[in-house]
Amino acid sequence: GNAVDRTGSWEGPDWNVQLALSLPLGRPSAAYQADIKELENRKLLLGLKSLEERIVREVRNSYTGVRSAYGRTRAARKGVIFAQKSLSGEKVKLELGRSTVRDVLLEQDNLIAARLTQISAEIDYLKALADFAEARGVYLEEREVTIKQGTEK
């Protein structure tokens, strides 16, 4: 037969499934509001954790920059000392007739280049120190800068 005849029996391939869904139409319940509040708190905590990790990373990177820049300044100072000694030696050789004015001028050029490298390295070092202070949040304090709040009249 038909579907009416099979009602109440297990004969036939038909299945019947019912689904009940209820949605609150009014204000959310207290439990729902608590869940929302907890999710918002978790989101804030994750944001704070992410910010903290970024700050730590910036401080580490800027510290590495300071160390690297300091190493370059030491190497540049040694380069200037070497160039000064080379120039002095070349001048002595010139006085003894074992060198030429051209060789002395080349050593002077080398000394100038070494001094420029030293100045550049020192500027980079100062910038790295400023970046490090900024990453730690003490840039203004280290430079004794204060910001005065205006008063309302």
Side-chain angles (χ1 to χ4, degrees), residues 116-146:
L116 288 174
T117 299
Q118 180 185 17
I119 290 168
S120 178
E122 288 175 359
I123 289 170
D124 289 345
Y125 178 64
L126 292 174
K127 286 179 181 178
L129 286 175
D131 290 344
F132 185 53
E134 182 182 0
R136 292 177 309 150
V138 295
Y139 185 84
L140 296 177
E141 292 171 19
E142 286 184 357
R143 282 147 187 81
E144 298 177 1
V145 175
T146 57

Side-chain angles (χ1 to χ4, degrees), residues 89-104:
E90 204 61 42
K91 285 179 179 178
V92 169
K93 286 169 49 177
L94 179 65
E95 290 173 6
L96 297 174
R98 304 184 112 199
S99 184
T100 65
V101 173
R102 181 181 184 279
D103 292 334
V104 172

Side-chain angles (χ1 to χ4, degrees), residues 24-34 36:
L25 297 177
R27 294 182 145 198
S29 68
Y32 177 70
Q33 289 176 353
I36 289 174

Side-chain angles (χ1 to χ4, degrees), residues 77-94 103-104 106-108 110-112 114-115:
R77 282 187 211 125
K78 289 178 182 178
V80 168
I81 292 168
F82 177 77
Q84 287 171 334
K85 289 180 180 178
S86 293
L87 176 59
S88 295
E90 204 61 42
K91 285 179 179 178
V92 169
K93 286 169 49 177
L94 179 65
D103 292 334
V104 172
L106 287 174
E107 291 301 326
Q108 285 178 338
N110 291 339
L111 177 58
I112 291 169
R115 285 184 177 157

